[in-house]
């Protein structure tokens, strides 16, 4: 749950937060009894509670396939992210990873915490994979093979150009978008549009670029070796070394670099909206739409925000709960993208070197959303100012006083 101070400032977060808490508890209670499936869903809850909640929207067969797909790629990503593994050992593992998903005896010890458990007990994931329908298996194997090869390529080279950046993001996330589209097709619930590869790729790139921007400080402080995904073509305009952006004396240049990174990510929004508008199954739509709204919200929060170079920047939990609770139709998506783009637009400094490009991108998004004609008669849950409700605060204080008095009375009696 959120902190008391945040709840007092945003009292209408409480109901969505309680609903999300209940949904997470229900999801954890519905873990399958079979050991391999039980491991997969338990691990999913541990590595990503929000994803494990969203995945519950899907029917059982597709949910199982997406769960396995996610864990396979998480395991692959754990190998890539572990900077303690020597390159000559890591590269062959990445390239051959698609073969290991057929082997229930294979495991490789790396990563930390829950990711180490995933790797040590990967045989459960392989066992679950082998129970999937062949169409799902083929899609997962192909994407794992292509992703592993792409990761191996960028282990041996840095992200220098913007084209490199797009290529890297394609390997680690665009392929996820393509893979999910193939799983939806295999499930018989969606059809592929002629441009499905491009817009599926954009869905992944938009999410990945948001994560790369948000995780700058965590990646640059990685031990024993920094992880650097921001392209030199962008950060080289503002600093001699990428790690220089985290130092206070470079704050102005750091924020300008950050703003250019955000502007680069905004270019994928039109494709993302096109992809989501083409979805017909309501459960798949929600599964795809919720992370995309979270991404545009995160970019709005990160833009022009020096705190990204000082600590963690993320949406408050109550707003996350609202997105999960209220995203049901494409009108909700257009509304959220419009609101978050408006929020981001208010933060644009005309003196920023990329301000014109940023404003053009945002105005294009706003026009696209307005032209749908669905923005009227809706309640915005994004641009809430977070003003305290005095009556609510008084009620909370009284309730806390009663609870405190009760507990104190019990202590005296003891």
């Amino acid at each position: 749950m959120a902190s008391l101070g945040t709840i007092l400032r945003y009292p209408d977060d409480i109901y969505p937060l309680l609903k999300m808490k209940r949904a997470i508890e229900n999801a954890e209670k519905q873990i399958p009894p079979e050991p391999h499936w039980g491991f997969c869903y338990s691990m999913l809850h541990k590595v990503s509670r929000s994803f494990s909640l969203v995945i519950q929207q899907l029917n059982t067969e597709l949910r199982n396939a997406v769960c396995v797909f996610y864990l396979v790629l998480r395991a692959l990503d754990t190998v890539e992210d572990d900077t303690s593994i020597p390159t000559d050992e890591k590269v062959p593992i990445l390239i051959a990873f698609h073969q290991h998903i057929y082997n229930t005896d294979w495991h490789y010890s790396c990563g930390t915490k829950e990711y180490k458990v995933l790797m040590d007990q990967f045989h459960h994931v392989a066992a679950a994979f082998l129970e999937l329908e062949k169409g799902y298996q083929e899609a997962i194997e192909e994407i794992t093979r292509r992703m592993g090869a792409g990761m191996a390529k960028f282990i041996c080279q840095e992200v220098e150009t913007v084209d490199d950046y797009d290529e890297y993001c394609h390997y680690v996330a665009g392929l996820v978008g393509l893979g999910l589209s193939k799983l939806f097709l295999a499930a018989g619930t969606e059809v592929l549009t002629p441009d499905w590869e491009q817009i599926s790729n954009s869905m992944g790139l938009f999410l990945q670029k948001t994560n790369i921007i948000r995780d700058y400080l965590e990646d640059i402080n990685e031990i024993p070796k920094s992880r650097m995904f921001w392209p030199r073509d962008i950060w080289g305009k503002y600093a001699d070394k990428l790690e220089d952006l985290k130092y206070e004396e470079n704050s102005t240049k750091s924020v300008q670099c950050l703003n250019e990174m955000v502007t680069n990510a905004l270019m994928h929004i039109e494709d993302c909206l096109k992809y989501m508008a083409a979805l017909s199954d309501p459960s798949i739509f929600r599964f795809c739409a919720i992370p995309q709204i979270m991404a545009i919200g995160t970019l709005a929060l990160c833009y022009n925000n020096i705190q990204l170079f000082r600590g963690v920047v993320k949406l408050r939990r109550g707003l996350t709960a609202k997105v999960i609770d209220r995203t049901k139709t494409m009108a909700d998506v257009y509304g959220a993208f419009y609101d978050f783009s408006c929020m981001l637009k208010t933060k644009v400094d005309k003196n920023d070197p990329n301000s014109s490009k940023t404003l053009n991108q945002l105005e294009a998004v706003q026009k696209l959303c307005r032209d749908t004609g669905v923005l009227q008669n809706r309640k915005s849950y994004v641009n809430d100012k977070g003003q305290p409700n005095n009556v609510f605060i008084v009620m909370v204080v009284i309730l806390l006083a009663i609870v405190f008095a009760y507990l104190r009375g019990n202590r005296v009696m003891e």
Side-chain angles (χ1 to χ4, degrees):
M1 289 288 284
S3 68
L4 178 60
T6 303
I7 289 175
L8 292 177
R9 190 178 179 193
Y10 301 96
D12 60 338
D13 283 0
I14 294 178
Y15 181 61
L17 277 167
L18 291 174
K19 285 186 69 175
M20 184 171 74
K21 186 174 186 296
R22 173 63 68 86
I24 291 173
E25 290 172 351
N26 289 340
E28 290 174 345
K29 291 176 183 176
Q30 296 171 7
I31 292 178
E34 301 87 351
H36 51 296
W37 286 112
F39 175 85
C40 288
Y41 279 98
S42 296
M43 188 54 57
L44 191 64
H45 295 317
K46 291 175 182 176
V47 298
S48 179
R49 280 199 166 193
S50 58
F51 185 81
S52 70
L53 182 59
V54 175
I55 201 178
Q56 297 300 322
Q57 312 294 324
L58 304 174
N59 67 59
T60 303
E61 180 185 294
L62 182 56
R63 182 170 66 242
N64 286 344
V66 173
C67 176
V68 171
F69 184 45
Y70 182 87
L71 291 177
V72 166
L73 299 188
R74 264 301 196 185
L76 182 63
D77 189 56
T78 299
V79 176
E80 185 210 20
D81 284 349
D82 193 330
T83 54
S84 68
I85 304 173
T87 298
D88 59 352
E89 182 178 336
K90 179 182 292 189
V91 169
I93 296 172
L94 294 173
I95 292 174
F97 205 91
H98 66 285
Q99 299 171 353
H100 300 317
I101 60 180
Y102 288 95
N103 184 357
T104 55
D105 293 324
W106 185 86
H107 64 90
Y108 180 77
S109 186
C110 66
T112 60
K113 300 178 181 178
E114 60 270 15
Y115 299 104
K116 186 177 188 308
V117 176
L118 172 63
M119 297 305 298
D120 286 342
Q121 301 187 43
F122 190 77
H123 62 278
H124 288 304
V125 180
F129 170 80
L130 293 173
E131 289 187 3
L132 298 177
E133 295 291 332
K134 187 175 181 180
Y136 295 131
Q137 289 182 353
E138 290 174 347
I140 293 171
E141 179 190 357
E142 179 197 350
I143 297 302
T144 305
R145 176 183 58 78
R146 293 170 65 182
M147 185 179 293
M151 286 178 169
K153 175 180 179 179
F154 278 93
I155 292 296
C156 303
Q157 74 175 65
E158 291 188 0
V159 178
E160 297 282 348
T161 68
V162 174
D163 285 344
D164 289 342
Y165 182 45
D166 286 342
E167 184 181 5
Y168 172 76
C169 290
H170 164 73
Y171 286 133
V172 300
L175 286 172
V176 179
L178 270 68
L180 287 172
S181 293
K182 291 191 172 193
L183 294 181
F184 301 156
L185 180 66
T189 50
E190 298 291 344
V191 295
L192 301 181
T193 60
D195 58 351
W196 74 274
E197 290 195 27
Q198 175 187 319
I199 60 179
S200 298
N201 187 60
S202 290
M203 289 280 284
L205 262 63
F206 188 59
L207 297 181
Q208 182 65 19
K209 289 184 176 184
T210 299
N211 291 340
I212 285 174
I213 291 167
R214 182 199 62 200
D215 295 341
Y216 164 84
L217 194 62
E218 178 185 340
D219 289 338
I220 209 69
N221 289 335
E222 179 73 19
I223 296 173
K225 181 182 178 183
S226 295
R227 292 181 292 174
M228 295 184 284
F229 304 116
W230 290 28
R232 185 185 294 271
D233 273 3
I234 292 180
W235 64 258
K237 303 174 189 177
Y238 307 96
D240 293 329
K241 295 184 290 185
L242 182 56
E243 56 264 34
D244 291 346
L245 297 176
K246 69 180 180 180
Y247 300 122
E248 191 170 349
E249 60 267 24
N250 300 323
S251 294
T252 300
K253 290 293 186 181
S254 299
V255 168
Q256 290 176 350
C257 181
L258 165 63
N259 293 346
E260 184 169 351
M261 289 290 292
V262 172
T263 302
N264 172 273
L266 296 176
M267 64 185 286
H268 301 292
I269 290 179
E270 185 175 349
D271 276 353
C272 293
L273 293 174
K274 187 175 182 181
Y275 182 96
M276 289 182 281
L279 296 171
S280 58
D281 184 280
S283 63
I284 290 177
F285 169 78
R286 277 175 50 79
F287 170 77
C288 294
I290 290 170
Q292 296 293 323
I293 294 176
M294 298 295 294
I296 181 64
T298 300
L299 290 179
L301 195 61
C302 290
Y303 185 85
N304 214 39
N305 188 350
I306 189 61
Q307 289 307 311
L308 182 130
F309 300 99
R310 308 286 182 263
V312 179
V313 175
K314 62 180 180 179
L315 295 177
R316 72 177 192 275
R317 192 165 177 79
L319 186 51
T320 298
K322 283 181 178 178
V323 171
I324 292 173
D325 183 47
R326 300 181 185 181
T327 302
K328 295 180 174 62
T329 68
M330 197 61 205
D332 299 324
V333 173
Y334 287 127
F337 270 78
Y338 182 83
D339 286 343
F340 277 125
S341 62
C342 287
M343 181 191 296
L344 202 160
K345 189 175 179 181
T346 64
K347 299 170 71 176
V348 177
D349 182 349
K350 294 294 178 67
N351 295 318
D352 185 272
N354 291 282
S355 61
S356 295
K357 188 174 182 180
T358 307
L359 290 171
N360 288 339
Q361 296 267 26
L362 293 172
E363 286 163 5
V365 172
Q366 291 172 338
K367 182 179 186 303
L368 192 159
C369 294
R370 280 196 306 268
D371 288 350
T372 63
V374 299
L375 299 184
Q376 296 78 16
N377 302 319
R378 65 190 177 87
K379 179 183 178 182
S380 170
Y381 59 89
V382 172
N383 290 330
D384 47 1
K385 300 297 183 182
Q387 298 300 325
N389 184 312
N390 292 333
V391 175
F392 178 80
I393 292 175
V394 170
M395 291 175 63
V396 170
V397 170
I398 292 172
L399 180 61
L400 289 174
I402 293 172
V403 171
F404 179 76
Y406 173 78
L407 293 174
R408 187 176 181 183
N410 282 352
R411 193 175 301 134
V412 170
M413 290 178 65
E414 291 172 358

